[in-house]
Amino acid sequence: MEHPYLFLTSVFGVFGLEEWAASHPHVTYMWLAMLILIIFGWLAGKSVSLVPETAQNVFEVLISGMEEFVVSITGEEGRKSYPLLITIFLFVLVGNLMGLVPSLYPPTASVNTTMALALIAVGWSHVVGVWHHGFKYIKHFLGPVPLMIPLFLPIELIAHTARVLSLTFRLFGNMMGHELVVLILLMLGGMFLAPLPVMAMGVFVALVQAFVFFLLSTMYIAGAIEEAH
Amino acid sequence: MKKETGKTIRELGYFASLGMSVALSIFIGLGLGLWLDKKFDTNPVLMFVGLIIGIVAGFSNIVRAGKKGKNY
């Protein structure tokens, strides 16, 4: 379904790139999300002091609270993966919340973005696994008994592929569904604020989906760190 | 965040994602079988093998979650 009006597409239209921008809204709006995050990061880190003030306060609570949460799941070894995880969380959160602003398109409502994020998260969990166990990481895929290896290997490979796909489709489905419902309600009765209740629920959905994506990536990393069963 | 709340949220996220991974495992197995069938021209043997492996993979997820649930 076509979005009725996209702000960034008009902006790119000024430079004569309208056709490309209209067919790749997830790319341009991903750049916007990145820009928002960079500006917020710059604002928070601009004047770091020992006694935090205003913006720094908010970010310290968010960042350190999440860090403790991640470490409580993965153990001390997971602290190295934390920058990636919090980046994924903040990016998905900003991307989801962009769906609530008129004329903005949430980049996470495109399967390209979510697939890329899921591949990065699951791929990194395997990197962490190899990093921690070396060559013995392959034991995670072979099951408990050597005789059963031909049976366990395909099963484990399928289970790991399912992780990527379930991360992809959960986020994509939720954001795409929300976008569609809002658009349809707008078309049916836009002048009577019909989509307002769905948009209010969208705030909740955006938060929960960002958190679930973050949580599951954390748990996959924790699973790669722990010893083979 | 309190420690108990964190644990509850963690379990909630894990067990809520279980159903989806079961369904997707079955479809991945089926898709893999169909693809291999086309490649080796052995319709429909590998489709059933893939489907069975997918189902086993899906259910091994449940069994693993059950084992994990006992620890809590």
Side-chain angles (χ1 to χ4, degrees), chain A residues 25-74:
Chain A
H26 54 279
V27 177
T28 52
Y29 280 95
M30 195 168 88
W31 290 343
L32 184 65
M34 282 155 62
L35 204 67
I36 291 171
L37 282 179
I38 289 169
I39 289 173
F40 269 122
W42 177 74
L43 276 179
K46 189 174 54 167
S47 56
V48 177
S49 56
L50 203 59
V51 183
E53 286 171 4
T54 53
Q56 199 195 340
N57 242 329
V58 177
F59 276 94
E60 268 186 15
V61 168
L62 180 71
I63 304 289
S64 66
M66 288 300 225
E67 184 167 8
E68 287 315 307
F69 182 67
V70 167
V71 170
S72 80
I73 294 176
T74 59

Side-chain angles (χ1 to χ4, degrees), chain A residues 66 69 72-73 151 154-156 158-159 161-163 165-167 169-170 211-212 215-216 219-220 226 229, chain B residues 1 3 6-7 9-10 13-14 16-17 20-21 24-25 28-29 32 50 53-54 56-57 60-61 64 68 72:
Chain A
M66 288 300 225
F69 182 67
S72 80
I73 294 176
L151 189 65
I155 289 174
E156 289 289 333
I158 286 175
T161 323
R163 285 178 173 186
L165 285 184
S166 80
L167 275 180
F169 287 127
R170 186 180 304 107
F211 190 74
V212 164
L215 181 71
L216 285 174
M219 295 197 63
Y220 295 154
E226 73 187 12
H229 38 82
Chain B
M1 205 184 290
K3 212 172 177 190
K7 210 176 151 193
I9 292 173
R10 186 168 81 201
Y14 181 74
S17 72
M20 203 150 172
S21 59
L24 280 171
S25 294
I28 291 170
L32 215 65
I53 288 179
V56 173
S60 78
N61 276 338
R64 208 171 299 151
K68 218 170 179 174
Y72 291 129

Side-chain angles (χ1 to χ4, degrees), chain A residues 27-225:
Chain A
V27 177
T28 52
Y29 280 95
M30 195 168 88
W31 290 343
L32 184 65
M34 282 155 62
L35 204 67
I36 291 171
L37 282 179
I38 289 169
I39 289 173
F40 269 122
W42 177 74
L43 276 179
K46 189 174 54 167
S47 56
V48 177
S49 56
L50 203 59
V51 183
E53 286 171 4
T54 53
Q56 199 195 340
N57 242 329
V58 177
F59 276 94
E60 268 186 15
V61 168
L62 180 71
I63 304 289
S64 66
M66 288 300 225
E67 184 167 8
E68 287 315 307
F69 182 67
V70 167
V71 170
S72 80
I73 294 176
T74 59
E76 203 54 46
E77 293 96 341
R79 215 182 271 275
K80 282 178 197 155
S81 312
Y82 176 66
L84 176 76
L85 290 167
I86 192 72
T87 309
I88 286 177
F89 174 69
L90 289 175
F91 176 74
V92 173
L93 183 64
V94 169
N96 288 352
L97 286 176
M98 269 160 65
L100 298 167
V101 184
S103 88
L104 294 191
Y105 173 89
T108 44
S110 163
V111 78
N112 299 299
T113 317
T114 56
M115 178 71 109
L117 286 171
L119 278 175
I120 291 170
V122 175
W124 177 251
S125 80
H126 291 310
V127 171
V128 168
V130 173
W131 195 7
H132 269 273
H133 300 292
F135 188 68
K136 282 182 188 151
Y137 181 60
I138 203 169
K139 276 188 185 165
H140 280 243
F141 298 91
L142 298 184
V145 194
L147 207 67
M148 307 265 272
I149 285 175
L151 189 65
F152 269 97
L153 191 62
I155 289 174
E156 289 289 333
L157 287 180
I158 286 175
H160 280 263
T161 323
R163 285 178 173 186
V164 179
L165 285 184
S166 80
L167 275 180
T168 306
F169 287 127
R170 186 180 304 107
L171 186 57
F172 163 70
N174 274 289
M175 294 328 291
M176 184 69 188
H178 171 249
E179 191 80 343
L180 269 183
V181 169
V182 168
L183 274 178
I184 289 169
L185 283 177
L186 256 176
M187 284 195 318
L188 290 180
M191 52 203 308
F192 304 112
L193 296 176
L196 211 59
V198 179
M199 289 180 90
M201 212 175 71
V203 181
F204 182 67
V205 172
L207 260 173
V208 167
Q209 288 311 317
F211 190 74
V212 164
F213 200 103
F214 160 78
L215 181 71
L216 285 174
S217 328
T218 313
M219 295 197 63
Y220 295 154
I221 289 176
I225 286 175

